[in-house]
Amino acid sequence: MTTLAVDCMGGDHGPRVTLAACRQFLERHPDARLLLVGAPEALKAFSHPRASVVAATEVVTMDDAVEVALRRKKDSSMRVALQLVKDGQAQAAVSAGNTGALMALARYLLKTIEGIDRPAIAYPMPNAKGGATTVLDLGANVDCTEQHLLQFAVMGSALVSALNHVDQPSVGLLNIGEEVIKGSDVIKKAGELLRSAANSGDLNFYGNVEGNDIFKGTTDIVVCDGFVGNVLLKTSEGLATMIGGFLKEEFSRTPLTKLAAIVAYPVLSAFKNRVDHRRYNGAALLGLRGLVFKSHGSADEFAFGQALGRAYDSARNQLLDRVQARIAHARPLLMGPDAEAPAAETVINE
Amino acid sequence: MTTLAVDCMGGDHGPRVTLAACRQFLERHPDARLLLVGAPEALKAFSHPRASVVAATEVVTMDDAVEVALRRKKDSSMRVALQLVKDGQAQAAVSAGNTGALMALARYLLKTIEGIDRPAIAYPMPNAKGGATTVLDLGANVDCTEQHLLQFAVMGSALVSALNHVDQPSVGLLNIGEEVIKGSDVIKKAGELLRSAANSGDLNFYGNVEGNDIFKGTTDIVVCDGFVGNVLLKTSEGLATMIGGFLKEEFSRTPLTKLAAIVAYPVLSAFKNRVDHRRYNGAALLGLRGLVFKSHGSADEFAFGQALGRAYDSARNQLLDRVQARIAHARPLLMGPDAEAPAAETVINE
């Protein structure tokens, strides 16, 4: 039996979406149990033999500052869900709430794994091969050292091995050229460290990759600092939205183009399905002593269900043990000069 | 009369594409003159009263190292075209050759404008408003200080004011959130500097923008360091290619979908035209004592013609004077602690 703690109040839509997704999830996973965290009156309509409600009187809103989530709302659904993981009552927590608050609360309650300075956010992005490229970090860590990038690579490998059943997934280092002499000092040093990790059997390091390799699917994992990761994620979302908008506008321009849209409907909907980012919903917060998954705030029932599915698969495939084992194995390399420095302030943003 | 020096040998296709584009350009611009630089035998078939051939015996290939372009191929078409600008025989140079070599040769021959530490590459990216967002730097400068980012903002403003006839185009600072407290130290300091520049009338500073704002067209200009710029450009190219590939695949899947493609053809080609990156070909190398435009290496006749057109418009609208005047005006702000530091090695990559 795998138990997930679900923050039912988080996200743009709250229980209307999260509960519907939970119901479908339970139907599809007969050995799963859910702890539904939130205001009892909002959740009372939900009844299922493998679900129980855990009361929480407060909700962290999308606009709440991290301090509010940490210091003021001590009985928030987000916090209670994380506490259930800490207490061992659930194997993973899922929330569609405020990313910054979730990361801060998760760090505070669960703490980081030994050998990890900073947790990272790993996000699957669709690629031309029909799969997904896991990119990290996507927004948690603005300035990264080469040690941090190595930690991200090791944790990303654990995630992909758990979810995609690839023993040694390939890792690319995001850079502005394939040659080893490219990039900033940190990137060049990270390249050396990742090559050492490949030599010691810690990683399957492919080498430098460029922005377009993410969508080509050149490697299973792409590692970058959180600033670059956040920019590339939002740039991609913006471009996809613009292209989708143009396509829609052209097909709705005149009665004739609307007719063409009807004829092309099956093709357009197959296309839409292939670029549907909802399928890839569910970012992993890696490096914590507990499994936490973040759904997009605007997730609908289908998308939230995907995040639940990823959390469930990760728990069943011992993601936490895998991360810990890999980090322990890579420990000699992670003990670099910067590894013991106190973690800098993290700035997170959805 | 405006004269452009054209490196006819550069790019993936060489004279076949560049000459065809030059002919069309001359037909459309009755007061333009072209200096066609390259191997005389490759250019001898071209004859036009407002064009003359300037011989160059060597060609910088797409794979040539910067050193080869600088020290060995001293009679390359790229170098001769830049020398014509330096000598005042042409108002701007256009090349589809190797970006790294072009930037290095341009810096070496033309030198930077007083007050500019590092030239930047400014690239127009299409936006949902139907125009383009000018993004810089796109690949020349890996590590940037806040002073560099201010220089980019001032130069980008000069470019957009010259090409789009907007007196004070708006500038956004690329960040991972809109709030001023977001981002790395350099980004936060750059934000302060850009706000000072807005107060002194040097800039129309909008504030922080995020990756998706580029395609929304929130501001006319988006400023970032060359690492982030290169990643976002290539990520966008990769995503657009993937989406285009999916659409094509879906429409060619079966005889029925192929029929749908025929019915939808006018719509699909209107759509294709809207996302056609060729329309935006022609990146400006800003900060040099001469105008230099870089066409994409794979440019076809239409795309190369767009780069010629941008170079021509820039020359006619006194881009060089505008950049110099704006930099001179912003000089008190640019005299920061790092402004006098020697320029670091630039790593450029197409």
Side-chain angles (χ1 to χ4, degrees):
Chain A
M1 188 71 92
T2 302
T3 305
L4 304 180
V6 185
D7 168 11
C8 292
M9 313 304 284
D12 300 344
H13 311 298
R16 184 171 60 78
V17 158
T18 55
L19 290 184
C22 285
R23 181 166 304 284
Q24 285 213 348
F25 172 82
L26 287 166
E27 280 163 21
R28 271 200 301 269
H29 298 90
D31 63 342
R33 231 180 105 236
L34 294 181
L35 301 176
L36 310 172
V37 186
E41 65 275 23
L43 310 179
K44 68 180 174 203
F46 195 96
S47 158
H48 192 283
R50 284 180 281 115
S52 36
V53 170
V54 178
T57 56
E58 291 170 301
V59 176
V60 174
T61 69
M62 295 311 255
D63 302 322
D64 274 343
V66 166
E67 290 70 36
V68 171
L70 270 177
R71 304 210 181 96
R72 296 238 300 273
K73 294 188 171 173
K74 296 209 173 165
D75 194 37
S76 70
S77 55
M78 186 185 275
R79 182 169 182 149
V80 172
L82 293 166
Q83 188 67 44
L84 290 167
V85 173
K86 185 181 161 92
D87 297 345
Q89 295 185 58
Q91 279 84 62
V94 181
S95 175
N98 183 329
T99 313
L102 183 64
M103 178 60 99
L105 280 171
R107 279 186 78 150
Y108 175 72
L109 291 174
L110 300 174
K111 314 294 180 210
T112 52
I113 289 172
E114 206 181 326
I116 294 295
D117 299 316
R118 304 180 184 184
I121 301 178
Y123 203 89
M125 295 178 83
N127 65 37
K129 290 184 174 164
T133 305
T134 297
V135 185
L136 74 166
D137 172 49
L138 286 185
N141 305 292
V142 163
D143 289 303
C144 290
T145 65
E146 59 274 21
Q147 298 286 339
H148 297 135
L149 293 169
L150 173 59
Q151 292 168 20
F152 299 166
V154 172
M155 296 193 293
S157 298
L159 177 68
V160 173
S161 80
L163 285 177
N164 301 3
H165 311 289
V166 191
D167 188 39
Q168 279 291 24
S170 56
V171 176
L173 175 64
L174 191 60
N175 203 339
I176 57 169
E178 286 172 20
E179 307 85 341
V180 292
I181 55 142
K182 294 277 183 179
S184 63
D185 277 350
V186 169
I187 294 291
K188 281 186 244 182
K189 285 186 202 155
E192 287 168 29
L193 210 48
L194 291 167
R195 275 187 292 280
S196 305
N199 290 335
S200 58
D202 287 299
L203 278 182
N204 173 10
F205 182 48
Y206 171 89
N208 288 336
V209 294
E210 301 185 69
N212 49 341
D213 288 303
I214 295 169
F215 296 104
K216 274 192 199 164
T218 306
T219 55
D220 297 309
I221 296 149
V222 169
V223 169
C224 59
D225 72 45
F227 190 96
V228 170
N230 186 285
V231 166
L232 80 81
L233 177 67
K234 287 192 183 151
T235 300
S236 302
E237 286 177 353
L239 177 57
T241 302
M242 183 183 81
I243 292 176
F246 283 173
L247 199 60
K248 207 167 174 179
E249 269 174 45
E250 292 305 330
F251 272 109
S252 10
R253 202 171 278 285
T254 68
L256 218 62
T257 62
K258 284 178 188 161
L259 196 65
I262 294 168
V263 175
Y265 179 77
V267 187
L268 293 173
S269 76
F271 166 71
K272 209 176 150 189
N273 187 42
R274 278 181 77 173
V275 291
D276 186 357
H277 60 85
R278 296 180 311 155
R279 286 198 293 151
Y280 304 96
N281 189 42
L285 272 55
L286 294 172
L288 300 159
R289 297 173 196 256
L291 297 182
V292 184
F293 282 79
K294 162 74 179 93
S295 159
H296 204 285
S298 67
D300 63 7
E301 184 182 326
F302 171 76
F304 195 75
Q306 294 296 107
L308 292 173
R310 287 176 65 83
Y312 172 80
D313 289 343
S314 299
R316 278 175 59 95
N317 294 313
Q318 280 80 38
L319 173 58
L320 198 58
D321 293 345
R322 286 176 193 251
V323 172
Q324 280 170 327
R326 281 179 184 254
I327 290 291
H329 192 271
R331 192 117 183 89
L333 283 167
L334 290 170
M335 299 292 284
D338 300 321
E340 301 303 300
E345 174 210 23
T346 64
V347 179
I348 309 150
N349 163 274
E350 179 161 3
Chain B
M1 189 71 90
T2 301
T3 305
L4 304 181
V6 185
D7 168 11
C8 291
M9 313 303 286
D12 300 344
H13 310 297
R16 184 171 60 78
V17 158
T18 56
L19 290 184
C22 285
R23 182 168 303 286
Q24 285 213 351
F25 172 82
L26 286 166
E27 280 163 20
R28 272 201 302 269
H29 299 89
D31 62 342
R33 233 180 105 234
L34 294 181
L35 300 176
L36 309 173
V37 187
E41 64 275 25
L43 309 178
K44 68 180 176 207
F46 195 96
S47 159
H48 192 284
R50 284 180 282 114
S52 35
V53 170
V54 178
T57 55
E58 289 170 303
V59 177
V60 175
T61 68
M62 295 312 254
D63 301 322
D64 274 342
V66 167
E67 291 70 35
V68 172
L70 271 177
R71 302 204 184 101
R72 295 237 300 272
K73 295 187 171 173
K74 296 211 172 165
D75 194 36
S76 71
S77 55
M78 188 186 272
R79 183 168 182 150
V80 172
L82 293 167
Q83 187 67 45
L84 290 167
V85 173
K86 185 183 161 93
D87 296 344
Q89 294 186 58
Q91 279 83 63
V94 181
S95 175
N98 183 327
T99 313
L102 184 66
M103 179 58 100
L105 279 172
R107 278 185 79 150
Y108 174 71
L109 291 174
L110 300 173
K111 315 293 181 211
T112 53
I113 290 171
E114 206 181 325
I116 294 295
D117 299 315
R118 303 183 186 182
I121 301 177
Y123 203 90
M125 295 179 83
N127 66 38
K129 289 183 175 166
T133 306
T134 297
V135 185
L136 74 167
D137 174 47
L138 285 185
N141 306 289
V142 162
D143 289 305
C144 290
T145 65
E146 59 274 21
Q147 298 286 340
H148 297 135
L149 293 168
L150 174 59
Q151 292 168 19
F152 299 166
V154 171
M155 296 194 293
S157 298
L159 177 69
V160 173
S161 80
L163 285 177
N164 301 1
H165 311 289
V166 191
D167 189 40
Q168 280 290 25
S170 56
V171 176
L173 175 64
L174 191 61
N175 204 338
I176 57 169
E178 287 173 19
E179 306 85 340
V180 292
I181 55 141
K182 294 277 183 180
S184 63
D185 278 348
V186 169
I187 293 290
K188 281 186 243 181
K189 283 187 202 156
E192 287 169 28
L193 209 49
L194 291 167
R195 275 188 291 282
S196 306
N199 290 335
S200 57
D202 287 298
L203 279 183
N204 173 10
F205 182 50
Y206 171 88
N208 289 338
V209 293
E210 301 184 69
N212 49 341
D213 288 303
I214 295 169
F215 296 105
K216 274 192 198 164
T218 306
T219 56
D220 297 308
I221 296 148
V222 169
V223 170
C224 59
D225 73 45
F227 190 95
V228 171
N230 185 286
V231 166
L232 80 82
L233 177 66
K234 287 191 183 152
T235 301
S236 302
E237 287 177 353
L239 177 57
T241 302
M242 183 183 82
I243 292 177
F246 283 172
L247 198 58
K248 208 168 174 178
E249 268 175 46
E250 291 304 330
F251 272 109
S252 6
R253 204 172 277 283
T254 68
L256 219 62
T257 63
K258 283 179 188 161
L259 195 67
I262 294 167
V263 174
Y265 179 77
V267 188
L268 292 173
S269 75
F271 165 71
K272 209 176 151 189
N273 187 42
R274 279 180 79 172
V275 291
D276 185 358
H277 60 84
R278 298 180 310 154
R279 288 197 292 151
Y280 303 97
N281 189 42
L285 272 55
L286 294 172
L288 300 159
R289 296 174 197 255
L291 298 182
V292 184
F293 282 79
K294 163 74 178 92
S295 159
H296 203 285
S298 68
D300 63 6
E301 183 182 325
F302 171 76
F304 195 76
Q306 294 296 106
L308 291 173
R310 286 174 67 82
Y312 172 80
D313 290 343
S314 299
R316 279 175 58 94
N317 294 313
Q318 280 81 40
L319 173 58
L320 198 58
D321 293 345
R322 285 175 194 253
V323 172
Q324 280 170 328
R326 280 177 186 256
I327 290 292
H329 193 271
R331 193 115 182 90
L333 283 166
L334 290 171
M335 300 291 284
D338 301 320
E340 302 302 300
E345 175 210 20
T346 65
V347 180
I348 308 151
N349 163 273
E350 177 159 1

